[in-house]
């Protein structure tokens, strides 16, 4: 069953939802593209690809997992129910894959289960969503994608029998060559292309921050400074365990105690990023760890384009 | 659900082994694991680290961890006393594939604190006689670095144990020299044999070369590898090597598997 909402009815519904949810929309402001809390008096629903992908809602860049005091654990405040309104199909695809990776992660799942995903776009393809909005003749067609989505329906949603406009298949002429790309990347470790890339790549890690399917992290503990800590009994020890984004592009990533570094060369770290996305990830999850959102291409300060790299490798190795 | 914390357990015994290594006994009862697996131990405020379980799963009233003081977390563990509590989660990793190896001759080759995970296998053998024969070749820098020296004396009754040190001192009566000197056909037979190796990186190449030259197959040599580990459950990417996660596909790999991981050959 699908529904129609007029523009006004959607605004009214959002006001009702705001009593219980925080609602984020992708927003453009002074050339920046980011998820912001909705300004109900002035918002625009159009497909915007934010700089930082929606992964940050479930896997924040700096997240307190729990606090502790005197060797006792103090849980953190739970996330408020959240609506992400305006997700494009590429970001929905990425979230579905990230959900598989994080299936047993307590902290990701707590945030994820409290979030309603509302997609937006001219066409749908088999992506997971709770609701999906398609603009048609001055109305929003609202498609239900899950039981969670169905629960969001209210009497102001008028029923309709229209079906969503589906794309039959999204064929990316490059990435559809899944088997060949996997073989080519796997075979190319010794290739000088990685050394050439290491000459222009800054090792800054921006590609990993903006990628919706980069999820490397590190864990560390922070102790608050204003207490006198007794090391043996942990009394007066007050602090938290954090999870922070890390990046395989950064020099320390594969370093162990004793200072040995398994990926000391930048060319090895760059290769590892491609190897993860196009070899290891598909071996684990069946699809590439890349949805071609284009963010790494847009934001790389060295203008590296992963698609050109893959094309070169395909020509050479397969 | 993984909460990167685990549960609290009490330290019931602490034993000094060498100037920088201690054994900690923890009251985890009926903990199911395989020799070669590890746990993540955390001390709130200092973080978490992976530590191999150094006791056998047949000892079901406790687990032992053998810890060397190398940094902030291990210093914080060393500051603990009997009765203090630490957080443990696990077991993680694949462990040694013991069930496939019943009745084999097992050769354990360890260097330095590489004997720690092997103690799990050794105790298992003493309790079950699982392998038809067990030999231990163990090398350290000096006699002060020998782990479990008192227990080794009790192992010798049932298990052939040969120890060598790089540098002898006036108290040392045993062998001197590299551990590879012990790998000869007089001491080792490769028929129906498998080898478990754990030690400093520099030891692996030399030992492996000798074993291969004596006719042991790449598929019968098992190595325990190490990487930076944080999540322990193959998500955070720190421990990856090729398409493998050392925390879950490993830390135990055959020589054949570890050679494939290097990317160089395909």
């Amino acid at each position: 069953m699908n529904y129609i909402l007029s523009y006004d009815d959607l605004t009214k519904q959002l006001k009702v939802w705001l009593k219980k949810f925080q609602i984020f929309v992708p927003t453009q402001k002074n050339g920046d593209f980011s998820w912001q809390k909705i300004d109900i008096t002035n918002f625009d629903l159009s497909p915007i690809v934010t700089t930082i992908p929606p992964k940050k809602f479930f896997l924040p860049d700096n997240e307190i997992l729990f606090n502790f005091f005197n060797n006792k654990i103090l849980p953190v405040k739970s996330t408020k129910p959240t609506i992400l309104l305006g997700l494009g199909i590429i970001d929905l695809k990425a979230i579905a894959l990230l959900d598989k990776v994080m299936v047993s992660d307590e902290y990701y799942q707590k945030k994820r289960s409290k979030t309603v995903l509302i997609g937006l776009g001219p066409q749908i393809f088999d992506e997971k969503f709770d609701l999906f909005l398609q603009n048609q003749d001055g109305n929003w067609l609202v498609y239900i994608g899950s039981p969670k989505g169905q629960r969001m329906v209210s009497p102001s949603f008028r029923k309709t029998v229209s079906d969503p406009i589906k794309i039959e298949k999204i064929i990316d002429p490059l990435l559809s060559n899944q088997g060949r790309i996997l073989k080519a990347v796997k075979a190319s470790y010794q290739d000088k292309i990685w050394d050439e890339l290491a000459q222009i790549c800054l090792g800054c890690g921006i590609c990993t921050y903006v990628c919706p399917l980069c999820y490397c992290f590190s864990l560390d503990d922070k102790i608050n400074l204003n207490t006198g800590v007794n090391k043996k009994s942990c009394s007066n020890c007050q602090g938290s365990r954090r999870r922070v984004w890390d990046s395989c592009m950064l020099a320390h990533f594969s370093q162990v105690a004793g200072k040995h570094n398994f990926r000391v060369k930048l060319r090895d770290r760059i290769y590892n990023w491609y190897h993860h996305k196009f070899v290891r990830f598909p071996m684990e999850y069946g699809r590439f760890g890349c949805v071609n959102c284009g963010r790494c291409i847009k934001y790389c300060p060295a203008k590296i384009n992963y698609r050109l790299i893959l094309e070169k490798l395909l020509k050479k190795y397969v | 659900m993984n909460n990167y914390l685990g549960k609290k357990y009490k330290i019931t015994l602490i034993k000094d082994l060498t100037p920088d290594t201690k054994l900690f006994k923890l009251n985890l009862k009926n903990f199911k694991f395989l020799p070669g697996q590890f746990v993540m131990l955390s001390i709130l405020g200092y973080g978490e680290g992976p530590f191999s379980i150094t006791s056998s799963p047949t000892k079901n009233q406790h687990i032992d961890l053998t810890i060397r003081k190398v940094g902030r977390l291990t210093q914080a563990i060393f500051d603990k006393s009997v009765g203090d509590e630490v957080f443990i989660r696990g077991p993680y990793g694949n462990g040694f594939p013991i069930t496939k190896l019943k009745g084999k001759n097992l050769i354990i080759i360890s260097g330095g604190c590489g004997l720690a995970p092997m103690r799990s296998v050794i105790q298992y053998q003493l309790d079950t006689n699982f392998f038809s024969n067990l030999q231990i070749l163990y090398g350290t820098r000096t006699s002060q670095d020998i782990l479990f020296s008192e227990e080794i004396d009790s192992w010798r009754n049932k298990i052939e144990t040969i120890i060598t040190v790089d540098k002898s001192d006036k108290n040392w009566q045993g062998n001197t020299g590299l551990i590879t000197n012990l790998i000869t056909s007089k001491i080792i037979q490769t028929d129906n044999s498998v080898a478990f190796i754990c030690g400093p990186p520099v030891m692996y190449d030399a030992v492996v070369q000798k074993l291969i030259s004596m006719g042991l197959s790449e598929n019968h040599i098992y190595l325990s590898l190490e990487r930076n580990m944080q999540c322990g459950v193959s998500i955070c990417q720190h421990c990856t090597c090729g398409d493998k996660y050392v925390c879950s596909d490993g830390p135990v790999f055959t020589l054949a598997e570890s050679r494939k991981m290097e990317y160089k050959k395909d």
Side-chain angles (χ1 to χ4, degrees), chain A residues 43-79:
Chain A
F43 70 93
D44 194 14
L45 288 185
S46 54
I48 290 178
V49 179
T50 53
T51 308
I52 300 294
K55 70 177 176 180
K56 69 169 196 177
F57 289 101
F58 320 116
L59 182 66
D61 60 297
N62 189 332
E63 176 183 8
I64 293 186
L65 302 182
F66 49 82
N67 297 299
F68 46 80
F69 181 70
N70 286 350
N71 223 23
K72 281 209 181 73
I73 303 298
L74 309 167
V76 297
K77 253 196 323 193
S78 57
T79 328

Side-chain angles (χ1 to χ4, degrees), chain A residues 184-185 187-200 266-268 270-271 309 312-313 316-317:
Chain A
V185 174
S188 70
Y189 174 69
Q190 302 281 28
D191 199 302
K192 61 175 166 45
I193 198 174
W194 307 112
D195 303 282
E196 287 162 1
L197 275 176
Q199 295 297 312
I200 51 172
L266 179 57
R267 59 96 68 207
D268 282 344
I270 297 169
Y271 178 75
I309 310 296
K312 276 193 193 158
L313 293 178
K316 197 163 173 188
Y317 289 98

Side-chain angles (χ1 to χ4, degrees), chain B residues 69-90:
Chain B
K69 185 175 67 159
V70 291
R72 259 186 356 184
L73 172 63
T74 44
Q75 174 70 70
I77 302 171
F78 270 45
D79 287 335
K80 293 290 176 193
S81 310
V82 171
D84 289 341
E85 288 178 311
V86 296
F87 284 87
I88 299 280
R89 59 183 174 99

Side-chain angles (χ1 to χ4, degrees), chain A residues 265-303:
Chain A
K265 290 190 193 161
L266 179 57
R267 59 96 68 207
D268 282 344
R269 299 199 293 275
I270 297 169
Y271 178 75
N272 173 65
W273 192 67
Y274 283 77
H275 185 271
H276 183 202
K277 293 195 171 296
F278 299 105
V279 180
R280 190 162 63 238
F281 193 96
M283 285 173 70
E284 284 180 90
Y285 299 105
R287 297 170 104 169
F288 282 149
C290 169
V291 289
N292 193 30
C293 67
R295 289 175 172 97
C296 60
I297 300 173
K298 182 172 179 185
Y299 294 105
C300 174
K303 305 266 178 272

Side-chain angles (χ1 to χ4, degrees), chain A residues 71 104 107 219 263 280 284, chain B residues 2-3 8 230 240 242 245:
Chain A
N71 223 23
S104 304
Y107 308 100
L219 300 165
R263 292 192 189 106
R280 190 162 63 238
E284 284 180 90
Chain B
N2 200 341
N3 64 0
K8 256 194 274 204
Q230 304 220 11
T240 53
Y245 291 87

Side-chain angles (χ1 to χ4, degrees), chain B residues 20 26 28 31 40 50 53 81 91 101 105 121 129-130 154 158 170 177 179 205 216 219 222 225 230 235 241 247 259:
Chain B
D20 62 358
L26 301 171
L28 276 94
F31 191 56
M40 294 295 273
I53 305 172
S81 310
L101 303 175
N105 297 318
V121 182
N129 264 320
F130 191 80
S154 70
K158 305 214 182 105
K170 53 181 168 12
I179 198 166
D205 271 334
L216 203 54
N219 293 308
Y222 293 86
L225 301 187
Q230 304 220 11
I235 302 180
C241 185
C247 69
R259 280 178 166 169

Side-chain angles (χ1 to χ4, degrees), chain B residues 168-256:
Chain B
S168 79
D169 50 59
K170 53 181 168 12
N171 296 319
W172 181 246
Q173 306 286 344
N175 300 304
T176 311
L178 296 176
I179 198 166
T180 38
N181 297 342
L182 301 177
I183 305 177
T184 66
S185 47
K186 269 197 212 151
I187 293 175
I188 290 184
Q189 47 138 339
T190 51
D191 218 29
N192 194 34
S193 293
V194 295
F196 290 176
I197 310 180
C198 188
V202 67
M203 190 194 86
Y204 283 93
D205 271 334
V207 164
V208 151
Q209 262 179 45
K210 268 245 164 152
L211 289 172
I212 298 279
S213 71
M214 286 174 67
L216 203 54
S217 135
E218 277 188 339
N219 293 308
H220 294 151
I221 298 174
Y222 293 86
L223 317 172
S224 183
L225 301 187
E226 279 187 12
R227 283 292 187 278
N228 181 335
M229 291 185 195
Q230 304 220 11
C231 71
V233 291
S234 40
I235 302 180
C236 74
Q237 302 298 310
H238 283 276
C239 75
T240 53
C241 185
D243 51 9
K244 303 285 184 203
Y245 291 87
V246 177
C247 69
S248 59
D249 299 311
V252 176
F253 293 98
T254 61
L255 179 64

Side-chain angles (χ1 to χ4, degrees), chain B residues 129-185:
Chain B
N129 264 320
F130 191 80
F131 299 98
S132 66
N133 189 43
L134 173 56
Q135 282 172 299
I136 303 170
L137 306 184
Y138 181 37
T140 60
R141 272 181 304 190
T142 71
S143 63
Q144 307 303 315
D145 300 306
I146 295 175
L147 291 180
F148 319 120
S149 43
E150 288 157 28
E151 271 182 74
I152 288 178
D153 287 336
S154 70
W155 297 346
R156 279 185 202 280
N157 297 332
K158 305 214 182 105
I159 302 175
E160 183 186 357
T161 307
I162 308 174
I163 305 184
T164 179
V165 300
D166 292 348
K167 212 174 167 192
S168 79
D169 50 59
K170 53 181 168 12
N171 296 319
W172 181 246
Q173 306 286 344
N175 300 304
T176 311
L178 296 176
I179 198 166
T180 38
N181 297 342
L182 301 177
I183 305 177
T184 66
S185 47

